[in-house]
Amino acid sequence: MKRILAPSVLAADFKNLGEAVEQVAKAGAEYIHIDVMDGMFVPSISFGMPVIKSIRSSTDKVFDVHMMVEEPGRYAEDMKKAGADLLCVHQEACRHLDRTIQQIHSLDMKAAVAINPATPVSAIELVLDQVDMVLIMSVNPGFGGQKFIPYTLEKVRQLRSRLDALGLFTDIQIDGGITLDNVGQVLKAGANIIVAGSAVFGGDPEANTRAFLEKFGGAFTR
Ligand code: DX5
Ligand code: ZN
């Protein structure tokens, strides 16, 4: 599985958002992780379609939009129009998860499903063969800069072995509290798309991006 860094722009300086995106893209990040929060599914509010649309011209890298929003299907079409390539919805936020995944695919975006720390991997068992990526949250969603929750590592291991057993090469993304110190562990557990917010944008984003990529040790095949 190819290893990819997805810097979370939530931790960037919004005054120079386009520049921040350009910096990490230039340094080798292949995904740009974009956290959309609605103040309902999570306590905080971040930004939405107009901001995404505006930074779309900064790069042609994959826009990986993490919807921390109740019933995100309501915005799928608008997100596509704003420039999303991949739409990630929470299992906990979708009353009709199967329908929402189909809707995302019908709009020609990649579809991903996310689960909160306390949601078991078994909750998404029946959609594993329908999604392009699974996001294991390693903090409770809603804020950047939180501490990694260690028990989520076991969920990454469980999910990778379940995917292997099903013969699926689905991406596993991990999000929350990832640093240069713990990234080795999560890669080893089977995650291959790594989100990092404060660890990339707190300091020199280009140098931090390169430091993460060095830890990845290049692409590899399982
Ligand atoms: C948290 C968001 C994350 C966040 C990660 O709710 O989904 O993507 O930006 O930030 P760090 O890497 O600082 O924990
Ligand atoms: Zn996120």
Side-chain angles (χ1 to χ4, degrees), residues 8 10 33-37 66 68 135 137 173 175-176 195:
S8 166
L10 189 66
H33 186 82
I34 300 174
D35 289 304
V36 177
M37 304 179 185
H66 178 191
M68 285 165 277
L135 165 53
M137 286 304 299
Q173 184 175 58
D175 181 10
V195 178

Side-chain angles (χ1 to χ4, degrees), residues 76 87 89 100-111:
L87 207 64
V89 299
T100 304
I101 292 166
Q102 288 186 45
Q103 184 193 0
I104 296 168
H105 278 149
S106 74
L107 289 163
D108 208 21
M109 290 183 283
K110 283 190 174 185

